[in-house]
Amino acid sequence: MKNLIGISTIIAIILALGLGLSSCGNQSTEKPGGSSALAGDVASQVYVAPGEYDEFYGFFSGGFSGQVSVYGLPSGRLLKIIPVFSVDGEKGYGFNEETKPLLETSHGFVPWDDAHHPELSQTNGETDGRWLFINGNNTPRVARIDLTTFETAEIIEIPNSGGNHSSPFTTENTEYVVAGTRFGVPYPQKDVAIDSYAENFKGMLTFIDVAEEGEMEIGFQVLLPAFDYDLAHSGKGASHGWTFFTSYNTEEKSTLLEVNASQNDKDFIAAVNWKKAEEYIKEGKFKEVPARYAHNVYDEHTHMATSTMKETVKVLVPSECPGLVYFLPTPKSPHGVDVDPTGEYIVGNGKLSADLTVHSFTKMLAAIENEAFDGEIDGVPVLKFEDVVGGVVKEPGLGPLHTEFDGKGNAYTTFFISSEIVKWKVGTWEVLDRAPCYYSVGHLMIPGGDSKNPEGKYMVALNKITKDRYLPTGPELCHSAQLYDISGDKMKLLLDFPTVGEPHYAQGISAGRIMPKSKKIYPIEENKHPYRTMGEGKARVEREGNNVHIYMTSIRSHFAPDNIEGIKVGDKVYFHLTNLEQDWDVPHGLAVMGANNAELLVMPGQTETLVWEPKQEGVYPFYCTDFCSALHQEMQGYIRVSSRNSDIALSWSLGEDEEVQ
């Protein structure tokens, strides 16, 4: 395993530095936009008539935006931005009192993250439209989005991790979502010399249990060597009960990894038998390890999130748990690890390999049974490479990253360096088709493409470089997504559309699996918010020392109350706004002049809270920020702020009716 890097790898690295020269080299001969390759009828294939719905939802990670964007496919229309790890002034997310707890961590309030991989929940290996999970890579976290509301319902922090990249991929029935550490970190976390990496650092794989109603908790963690764990996918069918993680930096180096992590002949796929892990947990063969991490949950009835700090996790050590983990040698620096719909084939996308290696689950089990081992690392047996290979796709392209499947026996792999997607046949390993991407494609997405039953009509390429595809917007351009028709023998490019942030991965699902369950309002009678106002007649203002609580309602087209006096400099003013509407798509906003946060955007039947701390005397307007009716501009009010020692009574009014506390 200590062979020096080969000449083919050196060539691949040189080509990688060119950022996909084979495709980008054609740019100078194309017209701006590069649309000459498209057939004349493609517009009709992506056109969705006014009033009609798209066939599919596409959920795209926002990368460094920390959000999820939702597109209709095939139109490429942006439907919604879902705030997850980053504060969002549009919706008041992370600014209002109800959602602030979702962004709490063991490091305090962290209002940003790097969101890479959306993953839909599955039942019997098929996407079911209940939830979407997404990882936070920087401060290790996993979020769950409720697809009845398209809002973040829960975020759990991942302890003992540094970077959370191989995450949050589901098992066949969403028993678990997984989270592998990208960076090795000291275990336990402590002050040690960085060059003691091999001695003091470890890698951790986390299995997050998902309850029937969706709530997450950390089931267990698996302690492994301090490799960098990159991506993951779980088995299905016969391989159900196993999860596979790619790794690189098996050299366990901490500096100049582009050289120092390229010394070994191969890296590994870690195959984790989580069914065996459950047995060990029941037998008590785990270590209860101190670990401080936040678990944040939004309650749909109280409309409030709470943050709870957890103190321990269960850790399994492979040397003490035989049969828990095996290492499958795989070509150097693998990115994706992808399991075909049958669960038999495990594709290791080795970025520095000229070939695409496919492992066989059946052969893996036989190698384990026959103890076909090539040594062990930290108690983890290393299986013999030749005993687990199921097939090889010969010289398909340069820089393979990620593979998905169409349900017809075909696989599609992205090649970053040669800037193309290659279609090949599972089982015969022959290349069937190739299509250029513009430019430097990373992941691809086929709706259900990592499930047992892909909906293989369309494929989306997620490209990293966009030059000359869109009108210039300064030094930075939006990343490009490209939609392909894969219903026939040949891939057919249909559409380019710009994306938000840096999408690393996406998931797609037919609209019919989500639309029937979509929530249109929050029933007002189910509102259990402690500061709700159930009707205009109960609107009021109450003082508790320096805290003032405004119980406010909104309905087209006024607030109640709309004039408030008796507020003093130094008060902490809580606007608790209840939207009394019970009609779909009638949110109301609230913004206050001088507030040091964002607006509220309150859905029908919902209550949200904005905190305002006036710093100087005056009369300050507030208004509705979401256009709601012909008299939207009239939906406004005033709040009077007097000096700290003022004796002006607290009063409020709507029209001619005035009340005094």
Side-chain angles (χ1 to χ4, degrees), residues 3-272:
N3 295 341
L4 292 177
I5 189 166
I7 187 66
S8 62
T9 299
I10 294 173
I11 293 170
I13 293 173
I14 292 170
L15 286 169
L17 294 175
L19 291 175
L21 296 176
S22 63
S23 288
C24 292
N26 295 327
Q27 294 177 46
S28 61
T29 63
E30 292 182 6
K31 296 178 181 179
S35 59
S36 58
L38 300 181
D41 65 340
V42 296
S44 65
Q45 295 181 49
V46 299
Y47 178 70
V48 178
E52 297 296 320
Y53 292 146
D54 281 278
E55 296 175 70
F56 295 91
Y57 288 96
F59 297 94
F60 291 61
S61 67
F64 43 68
S65 80
Q67 319 289 36
V68 169
S69 51
V70 186
Y71 292 85
L73 299 176
S75 72
R77 298 182 296 196
L78 178 63
L79 304 178
K80 186 169 186 174
I81 302 292
I82 304 174
V84 184
F85 298 112
S86 298
V87 293
D88 183 353
E90 177 192 346
K91 301 175 180 66
Y93 180 86
F95 290 103
N96 63 49
E97 297 305 291
E98 287 73 18
T99 56
K100 283 180 181 177
L102 284 170
L103 300 179
E104 290 292 338
T105 74
S106 61
H107 305 278
F109 183 79
V110 178
W112 172 85
D113 218 309
D114 185 18
H116 281 212
H117 305 122
E119 178 82 352
L120 289 159
S121 56
Q122 296 188 12
T123 301
N124 296 325
E126 294 190 28
T127 54
D128 56 30
R130 291 179 295 166
W131 309 303
L132 181 79
F133 301 93
I134 182 82
N135 65 324
N137 188 36
N138 183 63
T139 302
R141 290 177 277 183
V142 168
R144 176 175 59 88
I145 295 167
D146 184 338
L147 292 181
T148 67
T149 60
F150 281 58
E151 293 183 353
T152 300
E154 184 177 11
I155 298 178
I156 192 167
E157 189 178 1
I158 312 300
N160 300 316
S161 292
N164 175 36
H165 196 256
S166 51
S167 171
F169 303 98
T170 68
T171 54
E172 189 172 289
N173 290 292
T174 320
E175 297 95 339
Y176 298 99
V177 293
V178 302
T181 182
R182 174 180 173 183
F183 309 109
V185 292
Y187 176 79
Q189 187 61 268
K190 55 190 173 183
D191 178 13
V192 297
I194 297 173
D195 63 9
S196 69
Y197 188 97
E199 295 78 32
N200 289 311
F201 289 54
K202 290 291 183 183
M204 192 71 81
L205 308 182
T206 302
F207 285 72
I208 302 167
D209 182 78
V210 182
E212 187 66 28
E213 297 302 315
E215 188 162 323
M216 301 182 291
E217 66 175 350
I218 293 179
F220 59 90
Q221 296 187 310
V222 179
L223 186 68
L224 287 179
F227 306 157
D228 292 43
Y229 296 89
D230 200 4
L231 283 175
H233 266 104
S234 291
K236 49 184 77 89
S239 56
H240 176 57
W242 291 78
T243 300
F244 306 94
F245 296 80
T246 51
S247 69
Y248 61 98
N249 190 24
T250 53
E251 296 83 356
E252 297 185 89
K253 301 299 183 182
S254 64
T255 184
L256 197 62
L257 294 195
E258 62 180 321
V259 174
N260 291 323
S262 298
Q263 302 306 305
N264 291 346
D265 182 45
K266 292 182 174 63
D267 285 314
F268 298 118
I269 292 172
V272 180

Side-chain angles (χ1 to χ4, degrees), residues 96 98 298 302-304 522 524 527-534 552 575-579 600 602-609:
N96 63 49
E98 287 73 18
Y298 183 85
T302 65
H303 305 167
M304 299 182 74
Y522 290 91
I524 192 74
N527 186 330
K528 305 300 180 185
H529 193 290
Y531 293 97
R532 67 192 181 276
T533 306
M534 304 295 277
M552 180 178 283
F575 289 85
H576 306 292
L577 179 62
T578 300
N579 182 350
L600 296 181
V602 189
M603 299 302 115
Q606 194 175 36
T607 300
E608 289 187 3
T609 302

